[in-house]
Amino acid sequence: MSWGRLEGKVSAERAGWVRWLGSEVPEVAHMSPAHQSMGETADEEEEGDDSELILRFQDLVDRRCVDNVRMLVVDSVQHAKAGHPGMALGMAEVGYILYRHVMRYNPNNPKWFNRDRFVLSAGHGCLLQYVCLHLTGFSSVQIEDLQNLCKLGSRTPGHPENVVTDGVEATTGPLGQGVANAVGLALAEAHLAARFNKPDAVVVDHRTYCIMGDGCAMEGISHEAASLAAHWKLNKLILIYDDNHNTIDGDTNLTFTEDISARFKALGWNTITVDNVHGDMREFKNALNSAFMETEKPNFIRVKTLIGKLSRKEGTSRAHHGAFDDDDLKEMKQKVKWENREPFHVVPTVYREMQIQTEYGEALEKDWYSTLNYFQTRYPQEAVEFKILLNGGLVPGWENSLPIWSKSDPVDATRGYSEKCLDKLAKVLPGMIGGSADLASSNKAYLHEYQDFSQPNSPWGRNIRYGVREHAMAAISNGLALHGSGLIPFAATFLIFSDYMKNSIRLSALSHAGVIYILTHDSIGLGEDGPTHQPVEQLAGLRAIPRLLVFRPADGNETAGAYMMAIQNRGGPSVIALSRQKVAANLEGTSANEVKRGGYIISDNSSGGGELPEIILIGTGSELCLCEGSAEKLRKEGRRVRVVSLVCWRVFDGESEEYKEFVLPKRVRKRVSVEAGSPQGWREYVGEEGVVIGVEDFGASGAYLDTFRKFGFTIENVTNIARALLD
Amino acid sequence: MSWGRLEGKVSAERAGWVRWLGSEVPEVAHMSPAHQSMGETADEEEEGDDSELILRFQDLVDRRCVDNVRMLVVDSVQHAKAGHPGMALGMAEVGYILYRHVMRYNPNNPKWFNRDRFVLSAGHGCLLQYVCLHLTGFSSVQIEDLQNLCKLGSRTPGHPENVVTDGVEATTGPLGQGVANAVGLALAEAHLAARFNKPDAVVVDHRTYCIMGDGCAMEGISHEAASLAAHWKLNKLILIYDDNHNTIDGDTNLTFTEDISARFKALGWNTITVDNVHGDMREFKNALNSAFMETEKPNFIRVKTLIGKLSRKEGTSRAHHGAFDDDDLKEMKQKVKWENREPFHVVPTVYREMQIQTEYGEALEKDWYSTLNYFQTRYPQEAVEFKILLNGGLVPGWENSLPIWSKSDPVDATRGYSEKCLDKLAKVLPGMIGGSADLASSNKAYLHEYQDFSQPNSPWGRNIRYGVREHAMAAISNGLALHGSGLIPFAATFLIFSDYMKNSIRLSALSHAGVIYILTHDSIGLGEDGPTHQPVEQLAGLRAIPRLLVFRPADGNETAGAYMMAIQNRGGPSVIALSRQKVAANLEGTSANEVKRGGYIISDNSSGGGELPEIILIGTGSELCLCEGSAEKLRKEGRRVRVVSLVCWRVFDGESEEYKEFVLPKRVRKRVSVEAGSPQGWREYVGEEGVVIGVEDFGASGAYLDTFRKFGFTIENVTNIARALLD
């Protein structure tokens, strides 16, 4: 790893420190320029006899900066009368060291591609991050923002949100998610580095840092992600565990007594313990240096801290959240000689110290652009692809790669159509990458012309094997998307197991992560595996997630249409629900393009003009064919019947009132919806007089057609219900 | 542990074996009675020079029984052309030994209280369990049932369902769930043993066995549960890991390379490895004996097996599911000399051998009843409570313990009312037990007059500390409920984190587990913590789960009513959604009793008789007060307004059409629903002309009232919308 070098005007700024620190300053300070205290960058001339003195001076500087960090934390919480000071105080040294001495980033361009990524999995500690962002010069967090902590519309919400605050990489708070996001970010780096780096042009090279607390450590999702991180040999991932021995309910002895370091070691991590970060920050710096030497394993740094450090509540769970009482506040300020300072005071030299990183980051970014220019000249072909990715991953005309089906083509399950779409898309979209939670062959979610991602063998591989770890899969996919490098992650499992990763899917939507969830075996139609595997209420539950697009295509062309939409939707996630069983036909009236409207007319034998159909049959997915089959029968009986595919509710809901009235005219009161899932929500579309054919109970183990028959999903039953409405 | 002793007619049955085994029989067989091969029970007189010969004879017998188990597995899969033979073949020895030699149960009374519990977390291997249930004499699985594997309506569904097949303790299939169920069962045993056992009367004493596969081992939920099992020192839990090195997608090297034994050791488990179960079954028996000696740690027995043992697909992931081709079938039958037998053949001596356990179980049950009688005589007071539990946990008049609130009582958050209900209920219901996922103080879900469950200090404690492990909490709660001992488990967290445990909540409903989910902070009204913590779509998602009752009470009395229903609902789960913020009032018109109808009229100023209200405002939870407030305003303007509380949709939906028409008369077309959650599903109740006031996007960090205002949850906005409808 190449660290930049900062000299010149920095030494002049030391003067500020000297004035402030006064008699505490060792003599050497007067003569020394700042240096990167991380061993990797120490200049030889600085390593003479003075080196220990230089380090001691830096220790003092560090200590005072940390004091200021803590005071800002305290002032913010007191001002807001809300927030979580406990972790922010306990981890102040860690946050400070990362932002001041370790991480590579440019506050003036928070999205600089090659920056180190930092994820605060213990999201309730966001105040620490806000303070560090402020002190290092991110324009996204001003003093006023700290004063607006947890206020409506502020840039400092109660948990960090990447779409609200520049400098925040992932939206966290639900515990454990951030660990998996970080694994995704590190995976993205390892993958892209393998694809693009050249011996003479390293264009992808950063570390991923993550802070987790006891809560994250207990959540299953972090375990799943940790197991994968080691399996994938993500050595540039540094997971810092805030071991403060407290959770909300009390001492961790209440619930959490495992040997966590041994556990991570068993998973294949490099484990390091820092015992006394409050007493000696160098210990943590040394731990990081040791982690940087690791070439194969991800790094787990356990840092023992005191939650609520400084406060009377120090070391107890009472420090976790909430403001401090006046006496406690006074004492804290006394302890760091802050009594005479106004709230939200920042010592100017602290700004200057922490903004050393700003200049450093700018230099790094400049360097990176030079490398990029060289890369472009020397490796023009690779550069084209790299540029596509850096621009978001889409290429003009990519939709044209999608297959088109006609009525005469052999029928397949929609998961089969999906497989063909994926293979085509992967060839034109260099960012397509993803995999399944041990169901690649069942989900048919595998890019056949590409290898598996595997270190050291094939890190360029674009198929990811997640094992049976749905929750981590989704959150890692969020990390891949939030890496911001044009990766288009897909994540596949059975629709029923979306339940295992529900919170991560929600976070995809909340954090604008364009993950494509490929969820097959999408109804009781999966048959023999029975009710434990048959989704019923999952479509309803997913449709209720704000902003998420849920597609349930009916045949080949609708599947292609769903991919068109899902890939276009780079600012948010999509679900594509697919059948296990073969659908009955490639329908005449379906169209990939019409999927863009969410709902559209498949067939109608009313004569047009003023004449409306007598009845509308509305279906999705594998049941659309039942609607068509029933419509044919009814038409033979002289009825005017329209069939509508409602492939994505949310997209349809967003269409104009005129279009919606065109598809579902209010005057046509007789409507039947047919979907092998929960009826919840269908009333919106069938109206008061309509009939919803759905599944109100759990499914049952049995052959597909038997199960469908039991629950009324036959052309005959749909037709009978329609007839009853018409009579 | 006291093993019973079986002698007498057993020795006669050996004759059958001798005939069948022919020349393979060691001489000793002719003179030896059967004996429990587990070391604990060997009679001294059997331990002479002959003991090795006796063991060798038993080995032969065991081998032939296992052959028959495998043949039934193969025949069933071939017949069904479906199912999962791989695990069933690979674990045939393990299943056989557990059912034949180890577990204590009575096939003639599968619900005998003191039986060992067995959970097949690798539920796809259910065929192994079905075959063992059949051979040991459970009437629930006849040969016809094996022939109906995976057929609609059969007692042998594709994954085991406790409500379908006697002898199955838990509904499994979604991976990892069973491990946590087993932890719950073992927890129930440890807790009840501590509460009721006396030195001279041991009335609660069984082990819990669980088989898991690689998939279970990878899922986060199993990790969470495993961490808790060790923390709780559940030494009578025996987790058997089918280490077959294959998952659906291929060799475990693809995704799963951690040192799992070291991981379990780090969590605090006793770990044992069995290398050659196919070659030497005694190795597994010895492992069990060693596990039985463990007094503190739960036991992890890693058994290396060959998936699909016998088949050509042996040892490969292709063996996981699906039938065999003819050649393979033929070869398998040859290998075990089964060529001349009809499909589904059972050698009569195999039946007799495996049903030794039936007689043994009957004797054990009889013994247990003797102990129970003694217990009742000697400890009458404890026996009363024990009987209540064994009869399901309810006592006449328990509802009367619930507090009643009046309008003049100080207002509280509904979570505060809930806390008072819980404390009252715990005193009258000895089975009330539960806890929170590290949010006891926030959820206010803590039984203040009882201790924490903690071994060895206070295993009788009725508060369970789950740590930050929602998914395991829910599945462990399922285990507590499915223990069938009158425990009434509650599980608490924030409503948003129901997403983390969604599949387990679903399984509560599918498996008839009467868990009470206490989900607080139930809307954007939680305020500062922001959108990551503010539920929006969770109510909709939970309401869509079949059979689950979701209550959202509005004040104290409705909270009491929700508990009445949830506790009465012993055959299924309930959710009680509760507010973080104080509600505006204890309403005049609410009533605990009316909650039983799911929806009812809170207030109405139309004169009754033929006169209907002009408008109906429908609310739930903290928004019901907004409806009341708005109604007051409108009434002052001369409007006839009804307010309806729709506290539980599913219960209301189940009321008579007459009652529903009484509450929501079709002629009243102007309706407004007010709920701070997803609008999905509300159209059913407000009709086409009504207005749904809901939350269509994610929430926002801010003070509660600011957030409520932003999203339109004010009396003013509700009133304006109502006025617009009325005009």
Side-chain angles (χ1 to χ4, degrees):
Chain A
M1 182 164 157
S2 73
W3 290 82
R5 206 63 48 82
L6 286 169
E7 297 191 4
K9 85 174 221 232
V10 178
S11 69
E13 290 178 358
R14 296 278 116 173
W17 280 112
V18 171
R19 272 197 302 277
W20 185 31
L21 295 168
S23 62
E24 294 179 72
V25 180
E27 308 75 55
V28 69
H30 300 280
M31 62 192 202
S32 142
H35 77 289
Q36 290 296 318
S37 64
M38 306 307 300
E40 292 182 64
T41 61
D43 267 5
E44 271 176 37
E45 70 251 50
E46 291 173 359
E47 285 179 347
D49 294 329
D50 297 332
S51 61
E52 177 57 24
L53 277 175
I54 294 172
L55 288 174
R56 279 176 51 208
F57 174 72
Q58 188 64 46
D59 288 345
L60 276 173
V61 168
D62 290 348
R63 175 70 38 220
R64 292 311 175 108
C65 288
V66 168
D67 288 345
N68 208 150
V69 167
R70 287 212 170 93
M71 287 300 102
L72 284 178
V73 165
V74 169
D75 290 338
S76 302
V77 169
Q78 294 306 102
H79 192 82
K81 298 186 183 66
H84 294 79
M87 181 277 197
L89 292 177
M91 290 288 279
E93 285 91 353
V94 167
Y96 164 75
I97 291 172
L98 290 177
Y99 273 91
R100 161 63 187 89
H101 289 292
V102 178
M103 293 200 296
R104 309 190 309 176
Y105 57 90
N106 181 3
N108 293 325
N109 179 13
K111 301 282 182 205
W112 169 44
F113 170 79
N114 209 34
R115 70 193 180 277
D116 284 338
R117 304 307 198 268
F118 172 74
V119 180
L120 189 67
S121 190
H124 54 277
C126 54
L127 189 44
L128 175 60
Q129 189 173 12
Y130 296 150
V131 167
C132 290
L133 291 175
H134 171 69
L135 292 174
T136 50
F138 282 80
S139 64
S140 53
V141 185
Q142 306 292 334
I143 284 289
E144 310 83 82
D145 297 301
L146 295 177
Q147 290 168 338
N148 284 327
L149 181 70
C150 294
K151 290 216 170 45
L152 202 63
S154 81
R155 294 193 291 186
T156 47
H159 289 84
E161 297 178 50
N162 62 308
V163 294
V164 170
T165 317
D166 274 345
V168 170
E169 300 284 355
T171 295
T172 55
L175 296 174
Q177 298 286 340
V179 176
N181 298 156
V183 171
L185 292 166
L187 171 63
E189 197 267 355
H191 170 74
L192 294 170
R195 272 171 78 173
F196 294 103
N197 284 351
K198 303 290 175 185
D200 57 341
V202 175
V203 289
V204 184
D205 175 23
H206 69 79
R207 293 208 166 86
T208 302
Y209 297 86
C210 176
I211 292 179
M212 75 165 186
D214 299 296
C216 295
M218 283 189 264
E219 289 286 6
I221 183 176
S222 74
H223 166 73
E224 294 176 8
S227 178
L228 282 170
H231 177 75
W232 288 334
K233 303 189 197 304
L234 300 176
N235 66 305
K236 288 166 88 177
L237 173 63
I238 295 175
L239 177 59
I240 301 161
Y241 166 40
D242 174 17
D243 184 11
N244 64 28
H245 230 272
N246 274 280
T247 68
I248 293 179
D249 277 353
D251 191 285
T252 48
N253 279 333
L254 273 180
T255 55
F256 188 45
T257 46
E258 63 190 52
D259 180 346
I260 187 172
S261 295
R263 199 235 298 178
F264 271 80
K265 206 162 145 53
L267 296 179
W269 286 61
N270 175 36
T271 60
I272 306 169
T273 299
V274 174
D275 283 309
N276 183 28
V277 75
H278 299 314
D280 177 10
M281 281 187 255
R282 284 193 225 168
E283 208 190 327
F284 178 59
K285 292 177 181 175
N286 292 339
L288 288 168
N289 274 331
S290 147
F292 295 165
M293 311 286 282
E294 175 59 49
T295 57
E296 216 173 51
K297 298 175 177 178
N299 302 281
F300 176 77
I301 306 182
R302 177 182 190 166
V303 184
K304 298 191 177 170
T305 68
L306 286 166
I307 188 172
K309 176 75 188 162
L310 269 194
S311 152
R312 290 181 185 176
K313 299 190 270 187
E314 181 180 293
T316 76
S317 61
R318 288 174 298 122
H320 180 266
H321 59 270
F324 301 95
D325 65 34
D326 290 346
D327 287 351
D328 197 359
L329 183 69
K330 202 174 150 191
E331 250 180 54
M332 281 193 274
K333 300 225 159 183
Q334 278 167 352
K335 280 184 198 161
V336 297
K337 301 180 185 159
W338 218 260
E339 307 95 308
N340 302 320
R341 296 201 163 96
E342 290 296 303
F344 296 100
H345 181 77
V346 178
V347 180
T349 44
V350 170
Y351 274 132
R352 284 199 295 274
E353 179 73 18
M354 288 196 72
Q355 286 168 21
I356 290 173
Q357 206 65 3
T358 313
E359 294 175 53
Y360 175 47
E362 290 206 331
L364 285 170
E365 182 169 359
K366 217 171 134 193
D367 272 3
W368 182 74
Y369 276 109
S370 310
T371 310
L372 202 61
N373 286 332
Y374 172 80
F375 180 73
Q376 189 160 7
T377 315
R378 178 84 174 72
Y379 305 101
Q381 209 177 327
E382 289 89 334
V384 168
E385 191 167 285
F386 195 52
K387 257 196 186 162
I388 292 171
L389 289 176
L390 265 52
N391 286 322
L394 302 187
V395 286
W398 62 267
E399 312 92 292
N400 303 329
S401 70
L402 284 163
I404 297 168
W405 282 269
S406 69
K407 203 173 166 173
S408 56
D409 285 327
V411 292
D412 200 347
T414 50
R415 63 177 169 147
Y417 297 125
S418 164
E419 181 176 41
K420 294 192 172 66
C421 292
L422 279 172
D423 274 335
K424 296 289 186 187
L425 289 168
K427 276 199 260 191
V428 295
L429 297 171
M432 284 289 285
I433 183 171
S436 162
D438 195 43
L439 291 168
S441 50
S442 299
N443 301 140
K444 298 191 181 290
Y446 194 82
L447 308 178
H448 295 97
E449 302 196 17
Y450 298 87
Q451 286 176 280
D452 286 358
F453 171 86
S454 167
Q455 295 215 80
N457 307 326
S458 50
W460 47 80
R462 287 162 59 185
N463 290 293
I464 304 175
R465 302 282 194 175
Y466 287 103
V468 191
R469 303 179 182 96
E470 297 83 4
H471 204 175
M473 171 174 71
I476 289 170
S477 299
N478 286 340
L480 290 172
L482 296 175
H483 194 253
S485 48
L487 296 179
I488 303 176
F490 62 88
T493 182
F494 290 161
L495 175 56
I496 189 78
F497 299 131
S498 63
D499 279 358
Y500 273 60
M501 54 185 187
K502 191 108 193 299
N503 193 260
S504 299
I505 298 175
R506 178 176 216 261
L507 285 167
S508 306
L510 184 54
S511 61
H512 300 190
V515 179
I516 301 173
Y517 292 98
I518 300 173
L519 303 176
T520 72
H521 296 56
D522 72 347
S523 78
I524 55 169
L526 67 83
E528 287 84 354
D529 271 349
T532 55
H533 285 56
Q534 292 169 350
V536 170
E537 72 280 18
Q538 281 60 32
L539 282 171
L542 292 167
R543 283 172 179 150
I545 297 179
R547 304 183 199 171
L548 177 67
L549 302 185
V550 179
F551 298 92
R552 189 162 184 257
D555 63 4
N557 290 329
E558 283 203 352
T559 304
Y563 275 104
M564 273 190 205
M565 291 292 285
I567 284 172
Q568 200 63 52
N569 184 27
R570 287 300 79 224
S574 305
V575 161
I576 305 181
L578 299 162
S579 72
R580 176 199 184 204
Q581 79 278 16
K582 281 187 185 175
V583 294
N586 278 303
L587 292 165
E588 189 88 44
T590 54
S591 143
N593 265 314
E594 289 291 306
V595 171
K596 291 180 186 165
R597 314 209 73 164
Y600 62 105
I601 301 166
I602 298 296
S603 66
D604 191 341
N605 66 326
S606 51
S607 63
E611 195 192 45
L612 286 173
E614 295 166 85
I615 190 167
I616 305 178
L617 308 179
I618 314 172
T620 74
S622 47
E623 290 79 75
L624 191 64
C625 285
L626 298 180
C627 295
E628 270 294 281
S630 173
E632 268 176 48
K633 284 201 167 190
L634 292 166
R635 286 167 191 155
K636 279 187 191 145
E637 294 166 16
R639 298 300 191 170
R640 299 190 310 278
V641 186
R642 174 176 294 183
V643 175
V644 165
S645 169
L646 207 58
V647 58
C648 178
W649 290 10
R650 179 157 282 120
V651 170
F652 183 71
D653 293 348
E655 287 289 310
S656 68
E657 291 307 315
E658 292 68 33
Y659 178 73
K660 287 190 274 188
E661 172 64 20
F662 166 71
V663 176
L664 299 175
K666 287 198 181 62
R667 278 195 293 151
V668 184
R669 312 275 305 153
K670 298 177 197 304
R671 303 178 187 180
V672 180
S673 73
V674 190
E675 182 176 76
S678 166
Q680 187 173 295
W682 272 106
R683 186 63 57 197
E684 287 294 342
Y685 306 102
V686 301
E688 281 173 24
E689 295 174 29
V691 175
V692 177
I693 305 182
V695 181
E696 308 237 15
D697 201 352
F698 292 108
S701 175
Y704 142 58
L705 284 173
D706 293 343
T707 312
F708 251 40
R709 196 174 303 117
K710 175 183 162 78
F711 287 91
F713 294 93
T714 59
I715 290 177
E716 199 183 8
N717 187 51
V718 173
T719 311
N720 286 340
I721 285 169
R723 276 196 203 111
L725 262 184
L726 285 165
D727 286 343
Chain B
M1 181 166 154
S2 72
W3 288 83
R5 206 62 47 83
L6 287 167
E7 298 194 1
K9 86 174 221 229
V10 179
S11 71
E13 288 178 359
R14 298 277 115 173
W17 280 112
V18 173
R19 272 197 301 279
W20 185 30
L21 296 166
S23 61
E24 294 177 71
V25 180
E27 308 77 57
V28 69
H30 300 279
M31 60 192 201
S32 143
H35 77 290
Q36 291 296 319
S37 62
M38 307 306 300
E40 292 182 65
T41 61
D43 266 4
E44 274 178 34
E45 71 253 48
E46 291 175 0
E47 284 178 349
D49 293 330
D50 296 334
S51 61
E52 178 57 25
L53 276 175
I54 293 171
L55 288 175
R56 279 176 52 208
F57 174 72
Q58 188 64 47
D59 288 345
L60 276 174
V61 169
D62 289 348
R63 176 72 36 223
R64 291 312 174 108
C65 287
V66 168
D67 288 345
N68 208 149
V69 167
R70 287 210 170 92
M71 287 301 101
L72 285 177
V73 165
V74 168
D75 290 339
S76 302
V77 169
Q78 295 305 103
H79 193 83
K81 299 187 182 65
H84 293 80
M87 182 277 198
L89 293 176
M91 289 289 278
E93 286 90 353
V94 168
Y96 164 76
I97 290 172
L98 290 177
Y99 273 92
R100 161 62 188 90
H101 289 291
V102 178
M103 293 199 297
R104 307 189 311 175
Y105 58 90
N106 180 4
N108 292 326
N109 179 13
K111 299 285 181 204
W112 169 45
F113 170 79
N114 209 34
R115 71 194 180 276
D116 284 338
R117 304 306 199 268
F118 172 74
V119 180
L120 188 68
S121 190
H124 55 276
C126 55
L127 189 45
L128 175 59
Q129 188 173 13
Y130 296 150
V131 167
C132 290
L133 291 175
H134 172 69
L135 291 175
T136 51
F138 282 79
S139 64
S140 53
V141 184
Q142 307 292 333
I143 284 289
E144 311 84 79
D145 296 302
L146 294 177
Q147 289 167 339
N148 284 328
L149 181 71
C150 295
K151 290 218 169 48
L152 202 62
S154 82
R155 296 192 289 186
T156 47
H159 290 83
E161 297 177 50
N162 61 308
V163 293
V164 170
T165 317
D166 275 346
V168 170
E169 301 284 354
T171 295
T172 56
L175 295 175
Q177 298 286 339
V179 175
N181 298 155
V183 171
L185 292 166
L187 171 63
E189 197 267 352
H191 171 72
L192 294 170
R195 272 173 77 174
F196 294 103
N197 285 350
K198 304 290 176 184
D200 58 340
V202 174
V203 290
V204 185
D205 174 25
H206 70 78
R207 293 207 167 86
T208 301
Y209 297 87
C210 176
I211 292 179
M212 75 165 186
D214 299 296
C216 295
M218 283 188 263
E219 289 285 6
I221 183 177
S222 74
H223 166 72
E224 293 176 8
S227 179
L228 282 170
H231 177 74
W232 289 334
K233 304 189 195 305
L234 299 176
N235 67 306
K236 288 166 86 176
L237 173 62
I238 295 174
L239 177 58
I240 301 160
Y241 166 40
D242 175 18
D243 183 11
N244 65 29
H245 229 272
N246 274 278
T247 68
I248 293 179
D249 276 354
D251 191 287
T252 48
N253 279 334
L254 272 179
T255 55
F256 187 46
T257 46
E258 64 190 51
D259 180 346
I260 186 171
S261 296
R263 198 235 299 177
F264 271 81
K265 206 162 148 46
L267 295 179
W269 287 62
N270 175 34
T271 60
I272 306 169
T273 299
V274 174
D275 283 310
N276 182 26
V277 74
H278 299 314
D280 177 9
M281 279 185 257
R282 284 191 226 169
E283 206 191 328
F284 178 58
K285 292 177 181 175
N286 293 338
L288 288 167
N289 273 329
S290 148
F292 295 165
M293 311 287 281
E294 175 58 49
T295 56
E296 216 173 51
K297 299 174 176 179
N299 302 281
F300 176 77
I301 306 181
R302 175 182 192 165
V303 185
K304 298 191 177 171
T305 68
L306 286 165
I307 189 172
K309 176 75 189 162
L310 267 194
S311 151
R312 290 181 183 176
K313 299 189 272 186
E314 179 179 294
T316 74
S317 61
R318 288 174 296 121
H320 179 265
H321 59 269
F324 301 95
D325 65 35
D326 290 346
D327 287 352
D328 196 358
L329 181 70
K330 201 173 153 192
E331 250 180 55
M332 281 193 276
K333 300 225 158 185
Q334 278 167 354
K335 281 183 197 160
V336 296
K337 302 180 184 157
W338 218 260
E339 308 95 307
N340 303 319
R341 296 201 162 96
E342 290 296 304
F344 296 98
H345 181 75
V346 178
V347 180
T349 44
V350 169
Y351 274 131
R352 285 199 295 274
E353 179 72 17
M354 289 197 73
Q355 286 168 19
I356 290 172
Q357 206 66 3
T358 311
E359 293 175 53
Y360 175 47
E362 290 208 329
L364 286 170
E365 182 169 359
K366 216 171 133 192
D367 273 3
W368 182 75
Y369 275 108
S370 310
T371 311
L372 203 60
N373 286 332
Y374 171 79
F375 179 73
Q376 189 159 7
T377 314
R378 180 83 173 72
Y379 306 100
Q381 209 177 328
E382 290 89 334
V384 168
E385 191 167 286
F386 195 52
K387 253 193 186 165
I388 291 170
L389 289 175
L390 266 54
N391 285 323
L394 301 188
V395 286
W398 62 267
E399 312 93 291
N400 303 328
S401 70
L402 284 164
I404 297 169
W405 283 269
S406 69
K407 204 174 167 175
S408 56
D409 285 327
V411 292
D412 200 348
T414 50
R415 62 176 170 148
Y417 298 123
S418 164
E419 182 176 41
K420 294 192 172 67
C421 293
L422 279 173
D423 274 335
K424 296 289 186 187
L425 289 168
K427 275 200 262 190
V428 295
L429 297 171
M432 282 291 284
I433 183 171
S436 162
D438 195 43
L439 291 168
S441 50
S442 299
N443 301 141
K444 298 190 181 291
Y446 194 82
L447 309 178
H448 295 97
E449 303 196 18
Y450 298 87
Q451 288 176 277
D452 285 0
F453 171 86
S454 166
Q455 296 215 76
N457 307 325
S458 52
W460 47 80
R462 286 161 61 185
N463 289 294
I464 304 174
R465 303 282 193 173
Y466 287 103
V468 191
R469 303 179 182 97
E470 297 83 5
H471 204 174
M473 171 173 71
I476 289 171
S477 299
N478 286 339
L480 290 172
L482 296 176
H483 193 253
S485 48
L487 296 179
I488 304 177
F490 63 89
T493 182
F494 291 161
L495 175 55
I496 190 76
F497 300 130
S498 63
D499 279 358
Y500 272 61
M501 54 185 188
K502 190 107 194 299
N503 193 261
S504 299
I505 299 176
R506 178 176 216 261
L507 285 167
S508 306
L510 184 54
S511 61
H512 300 192
V515 179
I516 301 173
Y517 292 97
I518 300 173
L519 303 177
T520 72
H521 295 56
D522 72 346
S523 78
I524 54 168
L526 67 83
E528 286 84 354
D529 271 350
T532 55
H533 285 56
Q534 292 169 349
V536 171
E537 72 280 19
Q538 281 62 32
L539 282 171
L542 291 167
R543 282 172 179 149
I545 296 179
R547 303 183 200 172
L548 177 66
L549 302 186
V550 179
F551 298 92
R552 189 163 184 257
D555 62 5
N557 290 329
E558 283 202 353
T559 304
Y563 275 104
M564 273 189 206
M565 291 291 286
I567 284 172
Q568 202 63 54
N569 185 25
R570 288 299 80 223
S574 304
V575 160
I576 305 181
L578 299 162
S579 72
R580 175 199 184 205
Q581 77 278 19
K582 282 189 185 173
V583 294
N586 277 301
L587 293 165
E588 188 87 43
T590 55
S591 144
N593 265 315
E594 288 292 304
V595 171
K596 291 181 186 164
R597 312 207 75 163
Y600 64 104
I601 301 166
I602 298 294
S603 67
D604 192 340
N605 67 326
S606 52
S607 62
E611 197 193 42
L612 287 174
E614 293 167 86
I615 191 167
I616 304 177
L617 308 180
I618 315 172
T620 73
S622 48
E623 290 78 75
L624 191 63
C625 285
L626 298 181
C627 294
E628 270 295 280
S630 172
E632 268 175 47
K633 285 201 168 192
L634 293 166
R635 285 169 192 153
K636 280 185 190 147
E637 294 166 15
R639 299 299 191 170
R640 299 190 310 280
V641 186
R642 173 176 294 183
V643 176
V644 165
S645 169
L646 208 58
V647 57
C648 179
W649 291 10
R650 179 157 284 121
V651 170
F652 183 71
D653 293 349
E655 288 289 310
S656 68
E657 290 309 313
E658 291 69 31
Y659 178 74
K660 287 189 276 189
E661 172 63 21
F662 166 70
V663 176
L664 299 175
K666 287 198 182 62
R667 276 195 294 151
V668 184
R669 312 276 302 152
K670 297 176 198 303
R671 304 178 187 179
V672 180
S673 72
V674 190
E675 183 175 74
S678 166
Q680 187 173 296
W682 272 106
R683 187 63 57 199
E684 287 293 344
Y685 306 102
V686 301
E688 279 173 26
E689 294 174 29
V691 175
V692 177
I693 305 182
V695 182
E696 309 236 15
D697 200 351
F698 293 107
S701 176
Y704 142 57
L705 285 173
D706 293 345
T707 313
F708 252 40
R709 195 173 306 117
K710 175 183 159 78
F711 287 92
F713 293 94
T714 59
I715 289 176
E716 197 184 9
N717 187 50
V718 173
T719 310
N720 287 341
I721 285 169
R723 277 196 203 109
L725 262 184
L726 285 165
D727 288 343

